[in-house]
Amino acid sequence: MPHFELDPTSIWDAIARLADERDHSWRYTKKGDKRLLCDIAASVAARKRNRAARQQVATDRTLAAARARNLDRALPGQSIADRMLRAMQPGEWYGQGDIARLAGVSASARSKVHQVLMRRGWVEKARNPAFAGILDPWSIMAGAEPEPLHLFRLTESGLKVKAALPADECQSSP
């Protein structure tokens, strides 16, 4: 039988790595994988980058097909989503109702934030720290304005799309 020498530091390193809840590199390897941890981490990072790139290509392809199908849609800058993008300022947080009011559309159009802006990655969503729960009907009838549960702000891709929109005719005239 061969004699094995165990290094106590390597055993302790292995135990510490397994105890670390944030280290998930072991999940993406096959049994018996002899690669170094840095190689495994590079492989996992590359897989995530490739997946994000494929998702972006698929999104672009889907949007191009939708544009080709909908040639009779509103001109650029005239759709509800474009008006919402144009109304938002970079770095500012807005509720869905605020975005609809700023864009000058009805309250029922606020669903475009989720249906269009979120799906295309033009806005990001975060929980509102000022949300205190749902108000009762009596306080709403008395004029209380409820805080929205979620807030939205422009992402980098949203800023690029906003910059590519034509200038608003109403705002550019003196």
Side-chain angles (χ1 to χ4, degrees):
M1 179 138 183
H3 178 65
F4 293 105
E5 290 191 21
L6 298 175
D7 183 19
T9 57
S10 65
I11 293 173
W12 178 251
D13 290 341
I15 292 171
R17 195 173 61 246
L18 289 173
D20 185 8
E21 294 177 357
R22 293 169 295 164
D23 182 19
H24 293 287
S25 60
W26 55 271
R27 291 184 177 203
Y28 302 108
T29 60
K30 295 178 181 170
K31 186 176 180 181
D33 197 352
K34 304 289 187 211
R35 295 181 295 168
L36 298 174
L37 286 179
C38 60
D39 292 342
I40 294 171
S43 172
V44 170
R47 181 178 289 130
K48 288 180 183 179
R49 278 193 312 274
N50 292 341
R51 178 184 227 176
R54 283 194 312 268
Q55 286 176 339
Q56 185 62 41
V57 167
T59 300
D60 293 341
R61 186 177 54 241
T62 304
L63 285 176
R67 284 188 197 102
R69 279 193 315 267
N70 300 322
L71 292 177
D72 59 342
R73 68 180 188 159
L75 294 174
Q78 294 179 350
S79 71
I80 293 173
D82 292 341
R83 286 186 280 170
M84 287 179 165
L85 272 181
R86 196 181 294 119
M88 295 176 74
Q89 297 300 318
E92 297 291 321
W93 291 95
Y94 301 95
Q96 283 182 315
D98 300 331
I99 297 170
R101 278 190 291 278
L102 287 171
V105 296
S106 66
S108 63
R110 66 186 182 168
S111 60
K112 292 286 184 192
V113 174
H114 270 283
Q115 293 172 351
V116 178
L117 302 180
M118 283 280 296
R119 282 197 182 158
R120 294 183 182 174
W122 295 345
V123 295
E124 64 179 325
K125 178 169 93 170
R127 192 167 175 84
N128 185 1
F131 179 71
I134 299 173
L135 298 178
D136 61 347
W138 295 276
S139 59
I140 293 174
M141 286 186 282
E145 186 71 25
E147 282 287 330
L149 175 61
H150 294 105
L151 296 175
F152 302 87
R153 75 171 172 186
L154 290 172
T155 60
E156 290 297 321
S157 61
L159 289 172
K160 290 177 187 173
V161 171
K162 180 181 175 175
L165 290 176
D168 189 13
E169 295 82 23
C170 299
Q171 292 178 357
S172 62
S173 62

